[in-house]
Amino acid sequence: METIGYLKESGGRFEFHSDQFGLIVRGNYPEWVLAAAAEIIRDNTKLEADSRMEELAALVEFGEASEIDIDAHKVDMKFRYEVLPQCVVTMGTMDYRWADQEGREKLTEFDGHTMRRLHDMSLTRNDSFLDDEDGVDKSSDGAA
């Protein structure tokens, strides 16, 4: 596994470092720093991908690349920049699905939340989810 970047606290501020991009982002809160880093990395990689497309077009003209190379690059760009960002997030022992804001607006499953649980604990073999257990005191005062 290769480290692409890291977040640290330094002098009461947060810093994201990425040697691969020659990037350091500093801010008062980690979410600000990570949001800025994500946007900067996205914009930078998009510019690089667009430049690569122009390079491939020139190489095709000189017979050094084929139209297939351009088509493959277009597909790669579509998967990275057209598909709305989505991730699996693990917090503790639970996995969640995350989608960016635009994706959450298009999918009703998020119901206004940032993430949704991947494992539906209400799916039981005998439809026993939320069944009362024998011998459990259900009175509000705790007396039986």
Side-chain angles (χ1 to χ4, degrees), residues 2-6 16-24:
E2 180 182 346
T3 299
I4 303 299
Y6 60 91
F16 174 81
H17 294 250
S18 175
D19 293 337
Q20 177 180 344
F21 294 101
L23 177 67
I24 300 173

Side-chain angles (χ1 to χ4, degrees), residues 32-45:
W32 292 4
V33 170
L34 292 173
E39 187 171 345
I40 291 163
I41 290 170
R42 181 198 61 223
D43 291 351
N44 188 49
T45 57

Side-chain angles (χ1 to χ4, degrees), residues 49-67:
D50 290 342
S51 294
R52 178 68 178 145
M53 185 65 72
E54 292 174 16
E55 177 185 354
L56 285 171
L59 289 172
V60 166
E61 288 182 28
F62 296 120
E64 299 293 322
S66 70
E67 291 291 333

Side-chain angles (χ1 to χ4, degrees), residues 17 22 33 43 52 68 82 87 125 132-133:
H17 294 250
V33 170
D43 291 351
R52 178 68 178 145
I68 294 172
E82 178 63 22
C87 296
R125 295 188 192 284
D132 291 335
E133 294 293 324

Side-chain angles (χ1 to χ4, degrees), residues 34 49 56 86 102 111 121 134:
L34 292 173
L56 285 171
Q86 303 165 61
E102 188 176 352
D111 195 29
M121 302 308 281
D134 292 335

